[in-house]
Amino acid sequence: MRVLLGVVLVLALLQVLSVGQALLTATGVVVVLVALRLVIRKKLAPRFSAVCQVRVGERTLLAFAGSQRVIRVGDPLSGDVVSMLMGHRGWVNALCEVETGGRILLASGGRDRTVRLWDPGTGRQVSVLKGASAALSGVCHVRVGDGTLLAAGGEDGLIHVWEPGSGEHVRVLSPGAGEVLEVCAVWFEGRDLLASAHVDRSVRLWEPGTGEQVRQLSGHEGWPNALCQIETENGILLASAGTDEKIRLWNPATGEQLHVMEDDFGWLHALCQITVGERRLLASGGDGPGVKLWDPNTGEQTGTVGGAPFLLGPYGCGWVRSLCQIQVDGEPRIATGGYDKRVETWRLGEQN
């Protein structure tokens, strides 16, 4: 844009254009480029960048949101939308369920630099947590003593921590590792640690109550876009995945990397634990077709849900940006959202 405006200015100085013509031309250039940028951002934005299970009374519902700024809470069995949560002034990038003050709320974080708390049953906005200075890319709750804190990572590289009941902005963590891509809680020796992923390819562990960094996990060859905890035969581990097309399992106690699972079909953007009876599996989603399932004890892939190989584009659930497990009429399923403009739930029996 600056180059084009510079050309217009030079033409005006050389008297090829009059001052009035130069101003009109410059205004037209700015309008066209701004409009083009907005169209491109809208077209390239993931329609649904966050999905999350949330309990409302005796019901288990699915919350989902993305570039449309509206959070929808729906019944995964009937497909009906129960409530629509409106208030964010930018894309909604993250959702999580949080229990505070004896009730279950839905937390959301987005590009408007706020975390908002909602009553998912009524759609009422309970509070707005402010203090962040950049767009937020991840939100999670962490248990500290008998209470719960909310953490969110931002594009400015800062991690913000709030007390959700009072809305108090408790502390800011400044890792100095670039943009925060994701945050999650991982259970460690009877308490939660806060895990964060950064564009410097590191994953870091924090004491959320004090803000002290516990350790740094290094090994990714690209951006670690996704984090989650996973229960294994060796205890609770931390899983991370990203643009190096690899999933890595870490021991949070030692920082040791235990497994590296390779996905040979594009960048990875989402991870979650799937529980089927007594069995725990790790689910991963990204630019490839479907959701892949992995055995975290062996590092072996056990199947694929909701997709099939393709030549010309995504088939099934393609280009996944978010996923979670959800109970549908007592049956465990995987919910996905992403660039295909759909939110779907997939039976775990539908494996390739």
Side-chain angles (χ1 to χ4, degrees), residues 184-201:
C184 86
V186 57
W187 189 248
F188 173 73
E189 295 184 350
R191 68 192 193 281
D192 273 344
L193 294 181
L194 174 64
S196 60
H198 304 266
V199 295
D200 72 346
R201 305 181 181 181

PDB file of all heavy atoms in Angstrom, residues 184-201:
ATOM      1  N   CYS A 184      -2.890 -24.669  28.083  1.00  0.00           N
ATOM      2  CA  CYS A 184      -3.716 -25.737  28.652  1.00  0.00           C
ATOM      3  C   CYS A 184      -3.195 -26.082  30.034  1.00  0.00           C
ATOM      4  O   CYS A 184      -2.057 -25.742  30.393  1.00  0.00           O
ATOM      5  CB  CYS A 184      -3.744 -26.970  27.751  1.00  0.00           C
ATOM      6  SG  CYS A 184      -2.393 -28.135  28.000  1.00  0.00           S
ATOM      7  N   ALA A 185      -4.023 -26.763  30.819  1.00  0.00           N
ATOM      8  CA  ALA A 185      -3.628 -27.217  32.150  1.00  0.00           C
ATOM      9  C   ALA A 185      -3.167 -28.667  32.066  1.00  0.00           C
ATOM     10  O   ALA A 185      -3.710 -29.458  31.292  1.00  0.00           O
ATOM     11  CB  ALA A 185      -4.795 -27.095  33.124  1.00  0.00           C
ATOM     12  N   VAL A 186      -2.164 -29.015  32.863  1.00  0.00           N
ATOM     13  CA  VAL A 186      -1.705 -30.397  32.943  1.00  0.00           C
ATOM     14  C   VAL A 186      -1.523 -30.757  34.415  1.00  0.00           C
ATOM     15  O   VAL A 186      -0.884 -30.021  35.169  1.00  0.00           O
ATOM     16  CB  VAL A 186      -0.414 -30.618  32.132  1.00  0.00           C
ATOM     17  CG1 VAL A 186       0.696 -29.678  32.583  1.00  0.00           C
ATOM     18  CG2 VAL A 186       0.046 -32.066  32.212  1.00  0.00           C
ATOM     19  N   TRP A 187      -2.119 -31.871  34.836  1.00  0.00           N
ATOM     20  CA  TRP A 187      -2.087 -32.297  36.239  1.00  0.00           C
ATOM     21  C   TRP A 187      -0.696 -32.816  36.585  1.00  0.00           C
ATOM     22  O   TRP A 187      -0.120 -33.625  35.868  1.00  0.00           O
ATOM     23  CB  TRP A 187      -3.141 -33.367  36.470  1.00  0.00           C
ATOM     24  CG  TRP A 187      -3.360 -33.728  37.902  1.00  0.00           C
ATOM     25  CD1 TRP A 187      -3.055 -34.916  38.501  1.00  0.00           C
ATOM     26  CD2 TRP A 187      -3.938 -32.911  38.922  1.00  0.00           C
ATOM     27  NE1 TRP A 187      -3.425 -34.892  39.824  1.00  0.00           N
ATOM     28  CE2 TRP A 187      -3.968 -33.670  40.116  1.00  0.00           C
ATOM     29  CE3 TRP A 187      -4.438 -31.604  38.946  1.00  0.00           C
ATOM     30  CZ2 TRP A 187      -4.475 -33.170  41.306  1.00  0.00           C
ATOM     31  CZ3 TRP A 187      -4.948 -31.113  40.136  1.00  0.00           C
ATOM     32  CH2 TRP A 187      -4.960 -31.882  41.294  1.00  0.00           C
ATOM     33  N   PHE A 188      -0.143 -32.312  37.693  1.00  0.00           N
ATOM     34  CA  PHE A 188       1.235 -32.641  38.043  1.00  0.00           C
ATOM     35  C   PHE A 188       1.377 -32.666  39.561  1.00  0.00           C
ATOM     36  O   PHE A 188       1.193 -31.635  40.217  1.00  0.00           O
ATOM     37  CB  PHE A 188       2.183 -31.598  37.439  1.00  0.00           C
ATOM     38  CG  PHE A 188       3.613 -31.735  37.867  1.00  0.00           C
ATOM     39  CD1 PHE A 188       4.413 -32.760  37.383  1.00  0.00           C
ATOM     40  CD2 PHE A 188       4.170 -30.829  38.763  1.00  0.00           C
ATOM     41  CE1 PHE A 188       5.742 -32.874  37.775  1.00  0.00           C
ATOM     42  CE2 PHE A 188       5.497 -30.933  39.167  1.00  0.00           C
ATOM     43  CZ  PHE A 188       6.283 -31.972  38.672  1.00  0.00           C
ATOM     44  N   GLU A 189       1.639 -33.856  40.111  1.00  0.00           N
ATOM     45  CA  GLU A 189       1.893 -34.021  41.543  1.00  0.00           C
ATOM     46  C   GLU A 189       0.826 -33.346  42.406  1.00  0.00           C
ATOM     47  O   GLU A 189       1.117 -32.577  43.315  1.00  0.00           O
ATOM     48  CB  GLU A 189       3.284 -33.491  41.896  1.00  0.00           C
ATOM     49  CG  GLU A 189       4.412 -34.284  41.243  1.00  0.00           C
ATOM     50  CD  GLU A 189       5.787 -33.800  41.672  1.00  0.00           C
ATOM     51  OE1 GLU A 189       5.867 -32.727  42.317  1.00  0.00           O
ATOM     52  OE2 GLU A 189       6.776 -34.479  41.367  1.00  0.00           O
ATOM     53  N   GLY A 190      -0.432 -33.622  42.090  1.00  0.00           N
ATOM     54  CA  GLY A 190      -1.528 -33.135  42.903  1.00  0.00           C
ATOM     55  C   GLY A 190      -1.947 -31.700  42.661  1.00  0.00           C
ATOM     56  O   GLY A 190      -2.727 -31.143  43.446  1.00  0.00           O
ATOM     57  N   ARG A 191      -1.470 -31.108  41.582  1.00  0.00           N
ATOM     58  CA  ARG A 191      -1.854 -29.731  41.272  1.00  0.00           C
ATOM     59  C   ARG A 191      -1.778 -29.525  39.759  1.00  0.00           C
ATOM     60  O   ARG A 191      -1.210 -30.339  39.033  1.00  0.00           O
ATOM     61  CB  ARG A 191      -0.921 -28.726  41.964  1.00  0.00           C
ATOM     62  CG  ARG A 191       0.511 -28.732  41.433  1.00  0.00           C
ATOM     63  CD  ARG A 191       1.430 -27.943  42.338  1.00  0.00           C
ATOM     64  NE  ARG A 191       2.734 -27.658  41.762  1.00  0.00           N
ATOM     65  CZ  ARG A 191       3.734 -28.525  41.693  1.00  0.00           C
ATOM     66  NH1 ARG A 191       3.586 -29.763  42.140  1.00  0.00           N
ATOM     67  NH2 ARG A 191       4.895 -28.169  41.178  1.00  0.00           N
ATOM     68  N   ASP A 192      -2.349 -28.430  39.294  1.00  0.00           N
ATOM     69  CA  ASP A 192      -2.276 -28.083  37.881  1.00  0.00           C
ATOM     70  C   ASP A 192      -1.054 -27.224  37.598  1.00  0.00           C
ATOM     71  O   ASP A 192      -0.756 -26.286  38.355  1.00  0.00           O
ATOM     72  CB  ASP A 192      -3.517 -27.297  37.452  1.00  0.00           C
ATOM     73  CG  ASP A 192      -4.664 -28.194  37.031  1.00  0.00           C
ATOM     74  OD1 ASP A 192      -4.421 -29.391  36.774  1.00  0.00           O
ATOM     75  OD2 ASP A 192      -5.800 -27.700  36.946  1.00  0.00           O
ATOM     76  N   LEU A 193      -0.362 -27.546  36.519  1.00  0.00           N
ATOM     77  CA  LEU A 193       0.591 -26.623  35.930  1.00  0.00           C
ATOM     78  C   LEU A 193      -0.061 -26.012  34.697  1.00  0.00           C
ATOM     79  O   LEU A 193      -0.973 -26.594  34.094  1.00  0.00           O
ATOM     80  CB  LEU A 193       1.882 -27.338  35.517  1.00  0.00           C
ATOM     81  CG  LEU A 193       2.751 -27.914  36.641  1.00  0.00           C
ATOM     82  CD1 LEU A 193       3.994 -28.573  36.048  1.00  0.00           C
ATOM     83  CD2 LEU A 193       3.145 -26.838  37.643  1.00  0.00           C
ATOM     84  N   LEU A 194       0.389 -24.832  34.325  1.00  0.00           N
ATOM     85  CA  LEU A 194      -0.087 -24.174  33.116  1.00  0.00           C
ATOM     86  C   LEU A 194       0.946 -24.387  32.021  1.00  0.00           C
ATOM     87  O   LEU A 194       2.124 -24.059  32.196  1.00  0.00           O
ATOM     88  CB  LEU A 194      -0.291 -22.677  33.365  1.00  0.00           C
ATOM     89  CG  LEU A 194      -0.658 -21.829  32.149  1.00  0.00           C
ATOM     90  CD1 LEU A 194      -2.020 -22.251  31.596  1.00  0.00           C
ATOM     91  CD2 LEU A 194      -0.659 -20.348  32.509  1.00  0.00           C
ATOM     92  N   ALA A 195       0.524 -24.960  30.902  1.00  0.00           N
ATOM     93  CA  ALA A 195       1.407 -25.160  29.752  1.00  0.00           C
ATOM     94  C   ALA A 195       1.099 -24.111  28.692  1.00  0.00           C
ATOM     95  O   ALA A 195      -0.066 -23.784  28.460  1.00  0.00           O
ATOM     96  CB  ALA A 195       1.224 -26.558  29.181  1.00  0.00           C
ATOM     97  N   SER A 196       2.134 -23.596  28.060  1.00  0.00           N
ATOM     98  CA  SER A 196       1.964 -22.611  26.993  1.00  0.00           C
ATOM     99  C   SER A 196       2.861 -22.966  25.819  1.00  0.00           C
ATOM    100  O   SER A 196       3.979 -23.458  25.996  1.00  0.00           O
ATOM    101  CB  SER A 196       2.285 -21.197  27.497  1.00  0.00           C
ATOM    102  OG  SER A 196       3.633 -21.116  27.965  1.00  0.00           O
ATOM    103  N   ALA A 197       2.375 -22.713  24.602  1.00  0.00           N
ATOM    104  CA  ALA A 197       3.126 -22.991  23.376  1.00  0.00           C
ATOM    105  C   ALA A 197       3.403 -21.681  22.664  1.00  0.00           C
ATOM    106  O   ALA A 197       2.543 -20.786  22.620  1.00  0.00           O
ATOM    107  CB  ALA A 197       2.332 -23.929  22.473  1.00  0.00           C
ATOM    108  N   HIS A 198       4.605 -21.570  22.075  1.00  0.00           N
ATOM    109  CA  HIS A 198       5.067 -20.278  21.547  1.00  0.00           C
ATOM    110  C   HIS A 198       5.675 -20.412  20.149  1.00  0.00           C
ATOM    111  O   HIS A 198       6.099 -21.497  19.749  1.00  0.00           O
ATOM    112  CB  HIS A 198       6.126 -19.691  22.495  1.00  0.00           C
ATOM    113  CG  HIS A 198       5.651 -19.534  23.906  1.00  0.00           C
ATOM    114  ND1 HIS A 198       5.110 -18.359  24.387  1.00  0.00           N
ATOM    115  CD2 HIS A 198       5.601 -20.420  24.941  1.00  0.00           C
ATOM    116  CE1 HIS A 198       4.767 -18.525  25.654  1.00  0.00           C
ATOM    117  NE2 HIS A 198       5.061 -19.764  26.012  1.00  0.00           N
ATOM    118  N   VAL A 199       5.753 -19.269  19.456  1.00  0.00           N
ATOM    119  CA  VAL A 199       6.298 -19.280  18.097  1.00  0.00           C
ATOM    120  C   VAL A 199       7.811 -19.476  18.072  1.00  0.00           C
ATOM    121  O   VAL A 199       8.376 -19.682  16.992  1.00  0.00           O
ATOM    122  CB  VAL A 199       5.933 -17.982  17.338  1.00  0.00           C
ATOM    123  CG1 VAL A 199       4.437 -17.878  17.128  1.00  0.00           C
ATOM    124  CG2 VAL A 199       6.465 -16.745  18.044  1.00  0.00           C
ATOM    125  N   ASP A 200       8.479 -19.432  19.202  1.00  0.00           N
ATOM    126  CA  ASP A 200       9.906 -19.776  19.208  1.00  0.00           C
ATOM    127  C   ASP A 200      10.113 -21.291  19.276  1.00  0.00           C
ATOM    128  O   ASP A 200      11.230 -21.760  19.495  1.00  0.00           O
ATOM    129  CB  ASP A 200      10.632 -19.077  20.367  1.00  0.00           C
ATOM    130  CG  ASP A 200      10.287 -19.669  21.734  1.00  0.00           C
ATOM    131  OD1 ASP A 200       9.291 -20.430  21.818  1.00  0.00           O
ATOM    132  OD2 ASP A 200      11.005 -19.376  22.699  1.00  0.00           O
ATOM    133  N   ARG A 201       9.003 -22.053  19.076  1.00  0.00           N
ATOM    134  CA  ARG A 201       8.995 -23.513  19.005  1.00  0.00           C
ATOM    135  C   ARG A 201       9.105 -24.183  20.370  1.00  0.00           C
ATOM    136  O   ARG A 201       9.268 -25.389  20.456  1.00  0.00           O
ATOM    137  CB  ARG A 201      10.109 -24.024  18.079  1.00  0.00           C
ATOM    138  CG  ARG A 201      10.075 -23.425  16.687  1.00  0.00           C
ATOM    139  CD  ARG A 201      11.197 -23.986  15.828  1.00  0.00           C
ATOM    140  NE  ARG A 201      11.178 -23.388  14.493  1.00  0.00           N
ATOM    141  CZ  ARG A 201      12.024 -23.698  13.510  1.00  0.00           C
ATOM    142  NH1 ARG A 201      12.960 -24.617  13.724  1.00  0.00           N
ATOM    143  NH2 ARG A 201      11.929 -23.121  12.325  1.00  0.00           N
TER     144      ARG A 201
END
